[in-house]
Amino acid sequence: MTRINEHPNERKRSYLRILFVNGALIALISIVAAFVTNFLSETSASKDDAELNYRPALYSRHAQDHFTFMMNRPDKEVLFDSYLELLDDEAYRALDSLFEDFNSRLIEDIQVEWEFVELFKQNPRSGARYLNQLEQWHEETSSAYSRLMKASYYANAGWETRGNKTIGETSYKQISQMNELHQLAIAELQSLLEVQPNLFPAYLVLISMERAQSHLVPLEDLAEQINARFPGSYHVAEVVMKSYQPRWGGSLREISSYYEDHIKPYEAINAPLIRFRGYELGERGWHAMKQRHVKRCVNLYTEAFYWGVDPHDLGIRAWCLEELNRTVQALDDIQLSLQIEEDDWGRGQESYYINRLKRHLD
């Protein structure tokens, strides 16, 4: 039914308006669909790189050299036995000579740090009896090294009190006890370093507490002091580079800058430092793994391994290789990581990969 007084062309204009609106709506839908399709294709491409750049972890001379070095590190158990034997025999003068010889050689050759670093980072005993032995050592000789070991005892006792659970699963009492023990260690070390600032192990023990006590042990200030006195330390480089990982609030720029300024200049005097040339690549690989971009993760770690291998990084690449159904290569990586460093998670992964391969053969 035609409306009264309707112009003859009004109906045509209505049809045109409807066609225009519908056309605009279709065009908008097409644009959105194209955008979503493009986004999904880009996301898919980022998750699935065109080619998998996998090579065995020890494919380069640098990686082989680094692996050989890691496998031939001084046996910390032998060092513990020597130290504990002298301590139990109350041969305190001999203990002082042992540590003095170590520290003198370290000042001349930074690579000597590997010989005793685990002894200071992982004190070999705990309990009141051991603490009494250290105090007796100090009473006998007024030794700086007895104070070092006492500080190491407090630092490790603090970590044991804290436990390995997440902060949400840790009680206020545990945190308070850890802080009290760490503060005893820090006070001991700081007073010791005021008198003898060239005691390298004292800095290592301070660094071991940095993550929990950063307000008392600022890492940047500490690293600056160590780099000034002991440039080229592998263990200091490892701690500082880890602190600059984006996952801990750092950045790739800080990793690159620290490498250029404090690691690269000393590669000639401490060859294992070459491994850190691939550190930024490894951090990118970790980020790719978290985003489940497994091919990209494998490719980045493959490039990082050109400069050296790290057991943790090998474990990550193994996981990504398994996601790509490359179980044989994943097993190779996890077994190589376990050769360098024993790890419960790694052992579990090794068993899983072996069982999966057995199921395929059955």
Side-chain angles (χ1 to χ4, degrees):
M1 180 176 177
T2 306
R3 292 187 314 177
I4 299 173
N5 297 328
E6 184 179 42
H7 192 277
N9 292 327
E10 186 66 23
R11 185 179 298 176
K12 292 182 181 179
R13 285 195 291 269
S14 297
Y15 289 150
L16 288 174
R17 280 196 298 270
I18 292 171
L19 288 173
F20 176 80
V21 171
N22 287 342
L25 183 60
I26 291 170
L28 180 61
I29 292 171
S30 299
I31 291 171
V32 171
F35 175 81
V36 171
T37 301
N38 185 57
F39 173 79
L40 291 176
S41 65
E42 287 183 357
T43 303
S44 176
S46 67
K47 288 183 179 179
D48 243 348
D49 293 331
E51 283 186 44
L52 182 68
N53 180 27
Y54 166 81
R55 280 176 283 182
L58 301 182
Y59 72 90
S60 76
R61 179 181 60 81
H62 291 297
Q64 293 165 17
D65 289 347
H66 187 251
F67 175 73
T68 300
F69 176 83
M70 297 295 284
M71 293 301 294
N72 289 297
R73 289 172 294 175
D75 187 341
K76 68 179 181 181
E77 298 300 332
V78 172
L79 295 171
F80 284 179
D81 290 345
S82 176
Y83 162 70
L84 293 172
E85 183 179 351
L86 291 172
L87 187 66
D88 290 339
D89 290 343
E90 299 183 5
Y92 302 130
R93 303 288 176 185
L95 277 172
D96 286 342
S97 296
L98 178 71
F99 283 102
E100 184 59 38
D101 176 64
F102 153 64
N103 204 63
S104 298
R105 287 188 293 119
L106 187 143
I107 291 172
E108 297 176 4
D109 181 4
I110 192 62
Q111 292 196 72
V112 178
E113 67 180 309
W114 290 87
E115 292 190 20
F116 279 76
V117 67
E118 294 299 334
L119 184 61
F120 287 100
K121 287 172 64 180
Q122 301 178 29
N123 217 297
R125 279 183 182 166
S126 60
R129 179 177 178 273
Y130 179 52
L131 186 58
N132 288 334
Q133 286 181 300
L134 296 177
E135 290 175 346
Q136 187 175 338
W137 176 10
H138 183 68
E139 289 174 7
E140 182 77 23
T141 68
S142 299
S143 165
Y145 301 108
S146 65
R147 295 179 67 187
L148 269 175
M149 294 309 291
K150 188 175 178 181
S152 179
Y153 166 85
Y154 285 136
N156 286 284
W159 288 121
E160 289 174 9
T161 299
R162 158 72 170 79
N164 296 320
K165 294 183 178 180
T166 64
I167 193 68
E169 299 172 314
T170 306
S171 70
Y172 174 78
K173 182 179 179 181
Q174 286 175 292
I175 297 296
S176 297
Q177 289 175 338
M178 178 191 71
N179 289 338
E180 288 176 10
L181 289 163
H182 281 180
Q183 286 169 16
L184 288 172
I186 291 168
E188 190 81 57
L189 292 166
Q190 289 177 336
S191 64
L192 184 57
L193 286 172
E194 287 178 4
V195 181
Q196 294 183 252
N198 286 327
L199 291 177
F200 177 76
Y203 295 102
L204 287 178
V205 181
L206 281 170
I207 279 181
S208 75
M209 294 178 285
E210 179 273 333
R211 193 167 300 281
Q213 310 295 334
S214 57
H215 61 296
L216 296 174
V217 190
L219 182 60
E220 291 189 6
D221 294 344
L222 187 58
E224 188 177 333
Q225 293 177 48
I226 303 173
N227 287 327
R229 295 185 180 280
F230 308 98
S233 164
Y234 184 96
H235 295 89
V236 173
E238 189 169 48
V239 171
V240 176
M241 290 287 264
K242 184 175 182 178
S243 76
Y244 285 147
Q245 291 173 333
R247 69 189 92 166
W248 300 116
S251 67
L252 295 178
R253 181 188 60 78
E254 287 174 306
I255 287 174
S256 177
S257 176
Y258 189 83
Y259 168 74
E260 290 292 333
D261 295 341
H262 297 292
I263 299 178
K264 187 176 180 180
Y266 302 101
E267 290 174 347
I269 64 170
N270 198 357
L273 289 174
I274 290 175
R275 173 238 160 173
F276 291 104
R277 292 188 187 185
Y279 201 89
E280 183 178 337
L281 288 165
E283 185 60 17
R284 292 180 185 275
W286 180 88
H287 181 73
M289 179 272 295
K290 295 297 287 184
Q291 299 296 315
R292 299 190 71 85
H293 300 173
V294 289
K295 280 190 178 180
R296 180 187 293 180
C297 176
V298 171
N299 292 350
L300 286 163
Y301 275 116
T302 296
E303 291 183 58
F305 292 161
Y306 179 86
W307 301 108
V309 288
D310 174 81
H312 180 258
D313 293 347
L314 284 164
I316 294 175
R317 193 176 77 156
W319 183 87
C320 288
L321 286 166
E322 173 62 15
E323 288 288 295
L324 295 167
N325 294 315
R326 298 178 73 109
T327 308
V328 172
Q329 290 88 347
L331 181 60
D332 287 344
D333 273 6
I334 208 69
Q335 289 182 331
L336 188 65
S337 77
L338 288 168
Q339 287 185 60
I340 300 171
E341 189 173 288
E342 286 288 334
D343 174 75
D344 289 341
W345 178 85
R347 284 294 177 205
Q349 291 298 104
E350 180 188 38
S351 297
Y352 172 76
Y353 300 151
I354 290 173
N355 289 333
R356 184 167 183 184
L357 289 172
K358 285 180 179 177
R359 286 196 299 272
H360 282 309
L361 293 174
D362 291 342

